Amino acid sequence: MSDYYDAFEMSPVPAPGPDATPPEPFRGIYGMPAFVTIPTSDLAASVDFWTRGLGFFELFSIPGRVVHLRRWAFQDVLLVPAESVPEQAPAMSVSFACLLGQVDSLVEACRALRPDSVDGPRDTPWTTRDIAVITPENARIVFTAAKPFDPASQEARNLEAVGITPPGVGRGDNEEHA
């Protein structure tokens, strides 16, 4: 028996498909279950890239101390001033969900601001299309878009091999997990 269950109702990420639309920017204040803090030596340049290139908005700022950026609910980034930033991006990355229809525009917007900032897009064995972006702070940011699920695909067989099956296949409802 699998311990995995469908809990997509908890997520702001819409189901993948040609008609998927992104959620509205979320301006509510909540206890953040996770967030990223990124040091920057040029707060204004960083805010510009994150807002115009990556599609975040400024939720609030404390001048000279922190700029809180957000895209969708639970996609929070805190930019904080630093004397310097690493000379190259680390191997580690942080990923943010997006939609397939947003991948090309993210690539174009980032390349317009920093021509060599984007790697990809690349399709993954777990049914996503990803781009990796190196920001002005040398952070490695991955935008990942779910592709529509094809139960006859190799990706579906790969997921089933590790115990992940599509909703409604071989399991009951969510009652015991809710």
Side-chain angles (χ1 to χ4, degrees):
M1 180 171 144
S2 172
D3 290 337
Y4 301 113
Y5 58 94
D6 181 1
F8 276 84
E9 70 277 0
M10 294 179 56
S11 175
V13 181
D19 297 331
T21 58
E24 292 295 319
F26 190 82
R27 298 184 184 281
I29 302 296
Y30 51 73
M32 297 185 297
F35 59 92
V36 179
T37 301
I38 298 184
T40 175
S41 56
D42 187 339
L43 205 51
S46 293
V47 169
D48 183 60
F49 185 83
W50 282 81
T51 56
R52 292 193 315 136
L54 299 176
F56 283 73
F57 67 91
E58 189 174 321
L59 184 63
F60 70 86
S61 67
I62 299 172
R65 303 286 307 261
V66 65
V67 177
H68 186 152
L69 302 174
R70 181 177 291 156
R71 254 178 105 247
W72 302 347
F74 311 120
Q75 294 186 341
D76 293 275
V77 172
L78 304 180
L79 297 175
V80 296
E83 292 295 318
S84 63
V85 297
E87 289 188 30
Q88 65 182 28
M92 187 193 89
S93 64
V94 62
S95 297
F96 293 100
C98 68
L99 298 181
L100 276 175
Q102 296 178 307
V103 171
D104 290 341
S105 61
L106 280 164
V107 169
E108 289 172 18
C110 289
R111 286 186 176 149
L113 296 167
R114 293 176 51 103
D116 296 326
S117 63
V118 181
D119 182 28
R122 287 198 172 83
D123 289 340
T124 69
W126 45 89
T127 69
T128 65
R129 180 163 297 143
D130 295 0
I131 60 169
V133 179
I134 305 301
T135 69
E137 315 80 31
N138 279 326
R140 184 180 309 279
I141 308 300
V142 175
F143 278 85
T144 185
K147 297 187 303 187
F149 186 76
D150 175 4
S153 69
Q154 182 60 50
E155 290 91 348
R157 290 187 291 280
N158 294 344
L159 293 171
E160 187 174 8
V162 297
I164 300 172
T165 56
V169 175
R171 50 187 126 105
D173 62 29
N174 244 1
E175 290 297 320
E176 69 186 80
H177 301 290

